[in-house]
Amino acid sequence: MNKPMHISWDMAPARLSARRLSPETRAMISRLRTALIYVVLGLGALVMVAPFLWMFTTSFRPVAEAFTLPPRWLPGLDSSLESYRRLLASDVPIGRFFWNSTVLATTVTLGYVATTTIAGYAFARLRFPFKNALFALLLVSLMVPIQTTLVPLFLLMRWLGLVDSQWSIIVPGLTGAFAPGMSGVFGIFLMRQFFLTLPKELFEAARVDNAGHFRTFWSIAVPLAGPQIAALSVIIFTMTWNDYFMPLIFLNSVDQMVLPVGIMSIRDPVGNSSATSEVIAAVSLSILPVLLVFLVAQRWIIDSFMRAGVKG
Amino acid sequence: MADLHLEGVTKSYGAATVIRGIDLRIPFGEFVVFVGPSGCGKSTLLRMIAGLEPISGGVIRIGGTVANLLEPAERGVAMVFQSYALYPHMTAYKNMAFGLKIAGLDKSEIDQRVTRAAKMLQIEELLHRIPKDMSGGQRQRVAIGRSIVREPRLFLFDEPLSNLDAALRVQTRIEIAKLHKIVDATMIYVTHDQVEAMTLADRIVVLNQGRIEQVGTPLELYRTPANLFVASFIGSPKMNFFPVTLEREGLARGRLGMAIPAPAGPPGPATLGVRPESLVLCEPDQAFLSARLQFEEHLGEHRLIYARTSDGIDLIAKEPDGPALTDGATLHFRFAPESAHFFGPDGNRLDHSTKGTH
């Protein structure tokens, strides 16, 4: 071979055009490629949706058929609300669980987002001693799993007299230090990275306008961080809603229980199949709010993570 | 009134000194332009006057009061940023009203000031748009509007036109000049564009490596540059320089043997500076200089002739435009002796008026 081979992205089109494809052929190739992409994405979506589909249809199926193999994906003629009826009729206070979960997830989200946004702003925009060292320390704490800090946290909560009340989860969440299933550092990091991407002049202009730190934070930084705050809220809400571990440890009495822990109490000790179908009904119900939140907010979540990825 | 007075102002970042002792007095109402190559410290100096950058040494006085530690708003300054720095989520109206609201002005006063500024800048129809929906020029006007409504004693402009296209730049430049006539305030304007500096300034401050090279009116800087740096920085195309030898009282000789009347100075090497517009094509017997044509640029009204002397010095001459010259032709130039500038070996100007002091 006399000529060196140049491998580049341009090669394929160059070869195609060398064969002088008609515009129609080229358009068809591009259509085919789009179609292929959709097929792959569709298959992926199917895999994602399948467990949910199975869960929802099973919750409507007669109790005895919960575990038919191969699994049935679509609701049949025999669908009924039997499982839901039995769930509501049982002595498990599912309504109470729902209320508890809602209060807990909402309060933790509000507190967590407020504190991490303020902290993120401080780390991005304020000057104070040991700022970088503190931030490094925070990042290091990401590596400490919550299980290892649980015992001291539990002792602290007991000392404060908060164990077996929602406050034992809300208070650590408010500080942004702990959130169920996730370190507070995540929120601080996300917000800090966002505030760092805002041009410095914006904050200088605010300073020339005589806006203090709090004014600048509230009137300039927060409105611009809308998508990030929304995304963070959705993530924290979902995580808190789904969290099993912290409520299991901190909330013991039935009237304090939240959905994930409460649902487990539906299972009778023997684990018979009729209770399983009630569990599935309860899980189906418990997923609806999260699903709703995601449907409404997915645009912001994707947008904010794309940005964090590109600019962070 | 509120004169601005800089005394020995310095700025260092760690070991790096970027501003090396600036002494400058700016009377109230003057339009001063800081000009210099990038990295000369002009923007830093402006930000130090604004109060956005703490100063490392010296004193900044505004109206006689030491302002070193005052916040920007306490100094009575308003700033127009290169990137405009409008608040992206606020309408033009809210952008302009933000500072007034913080200052605690009542609604009707805010409304009156914003409306007046909007009228002055012809942006009334933009007041309810957010920056994203405006063009660069419109954003720039809103940014200027935001500075006007605060009725500051001191306007600071940090390269405000550099993000605009050429036509808009000229237009906005004229509007800033008009603005200075209307408002009763000092204006300090930073640019690296010497045309902006020449056209806008009452006085120009030429900065280089954190030092003032020269302060003067545009014409003073153009006619009597204090040193080689200012001579080459002010004027476009830039001044031509030729090595000469000062032979005796009042005569300089170039390498080609030409003799030019020169200011008195110690005999020895010196630099002759001639602006492109002072070089005139002439017959060989009248010539101070001869050079071979490299190429020429026709600009209609005039042309720029790029030529090289036999000892390898490139020169530019600005002539009335005319028919193309022959490629590689030898051209002969003369210039009026009074249009020549002489600089000593230290780069400083040797002047007729400083006769005997050197």
Side-chain angles (χ1 to χ4, degrees):
Chain A
M1 202 183 276
N2 305 338
K3 285 185 182 169
M5 249 319 244
H6 290 293
I7 297 175
S8 77
W9 290 105
D10 301 339
M11 233 182 113
R15 219 170 37 207
L16 288 179
S17 64
R19 282 193 210 150
R20 282 199 213 105
L21 294 177
S22 67
E24 291 80 27
T25 323
R26 240 178 280 163
M28 206 171 75
I29 289 174
S30 122
R31 267 203 302 274
L32 273 177
R33 196 159 57 189
T34 312
L36 192 70
I37 289 170
Y38 274 102
V39 168
V40 171
L41 286 179
L43 284 176
L46 263 187
V47 173
M48 303 277 184
V49 164
F52 291 95
L53 195 64
W54 178 83
M55 185 184 67
F56 282 119
T57 53
T58 305
S59 75
F60 289 113
R61 234 193 302 284
V63 176
E65 288 181 27
F67 290 110
T68 49
L69 281 173
R72 280 171 52 188
W73 300 106
L74 296 173
L77 288 172
D78 51 0
S79 297
S80 75
L81 293 172
E82 180 60 20
S83 305
Y84 291 93
R85 216 170 286 135
R86 284 167 60 163
L87 174 67
L88 295 177
S90 73
D91 52 1
V92 175
I94 187 82
R96 178 85 210 171
F97 297 163
F98 245 99
W99 174 247
N100 289 345
S101 275
T102 309
V103 170
L104 186 70
T106 310
T107 328
V108 167
T109 304
L110 288 178
Y112 179 94
V113 170
T115 50
T116 55
T117 305
I118 292 172
Y121 179 79
F123 277 117
R125 288 291 163 199
L126 305 191
R127 284 186 193 176
F128 53 91
F130 308 116
K131 182 167 88 168
N132 292 333
L134 271 175
F135 190 68
L137 203 65
L138 274 181
L139 287 184
V140 167
S141 78
L142 265 177
M143 295 175 218
V144 181
I146 187 168
Q147 285 79 358
T148 60
T149 52
L150 198 72
V151 173
L153 186 62
F154 185 85
L155 293 177
L156 182 65
M157 288 302 133
R158 199 178 57 182
W159 182 70
L160 290 170
L162 297 179
V163 168
D164 201 27
S165 101
Q166 304 245 336
W167 290 107
S168 63
I169 295 172
I170 293 170
V171 168
L174 280 181
T175 66
F178 293 91
M182 178 168 277
S183 165
V185 180
F186 169 76
I188 296 175
F189 185 73
L190 184 84
M191 297 315 295
R192 172 185 178 264
Q193 295 311 100
F194 171 72
F195 289 131
L196 282 177
T197 64
L198 294 177
K200 192 177 70 170
E201 284 88 357
L202 215 50
F203 296 93
E204 290 177 345
R207 212 171 138 200
V208 172
D209 272 337
N210 204 19
H213 283 311
F214 191 76
R215 185 69 167 244
T216 309
F217 171 74
W218 188 247
S219 301
I220 311 291
V222 168
L224 292 174
Q228 279 67 28
I229 289 173
L232 189 61
S233 304
V234 171
I235 291 165
I236 297 305
F237 184 89
T238 315
M239 290 240 157
T240 314
W241 185 271
N242 289 340
D243 186 47
Y244 178 73
F245 189 62
M246 296 233 342
L248 181 70
I249 307 295
F250 287 96
L251 309 173
N252 301 320
S253 50
V254 172
D255 62 341
Q256 293 294 328
M257 267 182 198
V258 292
L259 279 166
V261 181
I263 287 171
M264 286 311 285
S265 75
I266 300 172
R267 284 185 78 105
D268 63 11
V270 199
N272 75 47
S273 61
S274 73
T276 305
S277 123
E278 284 159 36
V279 168
I280 288 172
V283 172
S284 303
L285 282 180
S286 79
I287 276 178
L288 287 178
V290 179
L291 217 55
L292 204 70
V293 168
F294 256 107
L295 283 179
V296 172
Q298 57 169 339
R299 193 166 52 88
W300 291 317
I301 298 177
I302 293 169
D303 185 54
S304 109
F305 279 106
M306 298 277 279
R307 268 205 246 182
V310 172
K311 302 271 281 188
Chain B
M1 227 173 115
D3 292 0
L4 175 70
H5 204 164
L6 307 184
E7 296 162 15
V9 171
T10 63
K11 175 76 189 177
S12 325
Y13 296 100
T17 306
V18 291
I19 300 288
R20 302 160 192 269
I22 299 285
D23 292 294
L24 184 65
R25 172 164 234 143
I26 300 176
F28 182 76
E30 199 174 46
F31 198 127
V32 172
V33 174
F34 292 172
V35 71
S38 53
C40 69
K42 56 193 188 298
S43 279
T44 309
L45 187 59
L46 189 79
R47 293 165 49 80
M48 288 159 79
I49 295 171
L52 292 172
E53 202 79 62
I55 69 175
S56 310
V59 179
I60 295 179
R61 279 181 220 275
I62 299 175
T65 320
V66 175
N68 288 17
L69 296 174
L70 296 183
E71 275 293 305
E74 297 170 310
R75 299 183 186 201
V77 304
M79 185 144 169
V80 178
F81 295 85
Q82 182 176 2
S83 62
Y84 319 136
L86 295 175
Y87 312 122
H89 57 296
M90 294 186 192
T91 61
Y93 185 96
K94 284 189 177 158
N95 261 289
M96 291 162 76
F98 185 66
L100 302 180
K101 227 163 99 187
I102 293 173
L105 267 61
D106 64 59
K107 251 195 158 109
S108 61
E109 170 76 10
I110 293 176
D111 196 60
Q112 196 189 334
R113 285 202 195 184
V114 173
T115 317
R116 199 187 326 141
K119 205 171 208 168
M120 195 195 289
L121 294 162
Q122 299 169 320
I123 50 171
E124 290 145 297
E125 73 284 3
L126 301 177
L127 283 178
H128 297 288
R129 279 198 220 165
I130 58 170
K132 198 177 63 145
D133 299 331
M134 298 178 208
S135 69
Q138 291 171 330
R139 282 178 210 174
Q140 182 58 274
R141 281 158 188 265
V142 175
I144 293 173
R146 181 170 65 178
S147 67
I148 294 176
V149 292
R150 303 194 39 236
E151 297 176 1
R153 301 182 285 181
L154 188 53
F155 279 93
L156 305 174
F157 296 89
D158 190 3
E159 307 211 19
L161 307 185
S162 54
N163 288 349
L164 300 179
D165 64 51
L168 212 49
R169 208 176 303 160
V170 173
Q171 191 191 332
T172 314
R173 194 177 79 205
I174 293 168
E175 273 164 26
I176 290 177
K178 279 189 198 153
L179 183 67
H180 180 236
K181 291 214 167 71
I182 301 170
V183 300
D184 190 23
T186 308
M187 290 189 172
I188 302 179
Y189 186 105
V190 163
T191 182
H192 59 263
D193 181 326
Q194 51 125 345
V195 178
E196 280 173 28
M198 296 294 283
T199 51
L200 286 171
D202 292 329
R203 280 195 306 159
I204 296 177
V205 177
V206 182
L207 288 161
N208 183 32
Q209 297 183 344
R211 280 202 191 85
I212 293 180
E213 294 282 354
Q214 190 174 2
V215 182
T217 66
L219 281 184
E220 277 167 11
L221 264 56
Y222 179 82
R223 287 181 179 156
T224 53
N227 51 45
L228 279 172
F229 180 83
V230 177
S232 66
F233 197 80
I234 300 289
S236 173
K238 66 180 233 183
M239 190 185 278
N240 300 299
F241 296 108
F242 308 96
V244 292
T245 310
L246 293 183
E247 287 200 328
R248 55 184 162 80
E249 200 76 359
L251 199 66
R253 196 172 290 278
R255 286 198 201 149
L256 302 179
M258 63 209 176
I260 308 135
T271 304
L272 161 70
V274 186
R275 294 204 180 274
E277 48 273 37
S278 304
L279 284 175
V280 183
L281 284 171
C282 65
E283 295 304 318
D285 56 330
Q286 302 172 309
F288 282 118
L289 278 169
S290 299
R292 192 172 286 271
L293 178 69
Q294 301 282 310
F295 64 98
E296 52 179 337
E297 289 176 335
H298 294 272
L299 299 169
E301 181 196 358
H302 56 259
R303 63 177 158 194
L304 299 178
I305 295 170
Y306 296 79
R308 181 172 289 171
T309 63
S310 58
D311 49 349
I313 296 165
D314 288 318
L315 65 85
I316 305 175
K318 191 172 172 182
E319 297 280 324
D321 212 342
L325 300 160
T326 325
D327 258 353
T330 300
L331 305 173
H332 306 282
F333 298 97
R334 63 179 171 81
F335 52 87
E338 60 273 18
S339 70
H341 305 262
F342 287 93
F343 303 94
D346 57 354
N348 286 331
R349 179 179 192 82
L350 303 174
D351 220 326
H352 297 274
S353 62
T354 57
K355 203 173 254 182
T357 61
H358 284 276

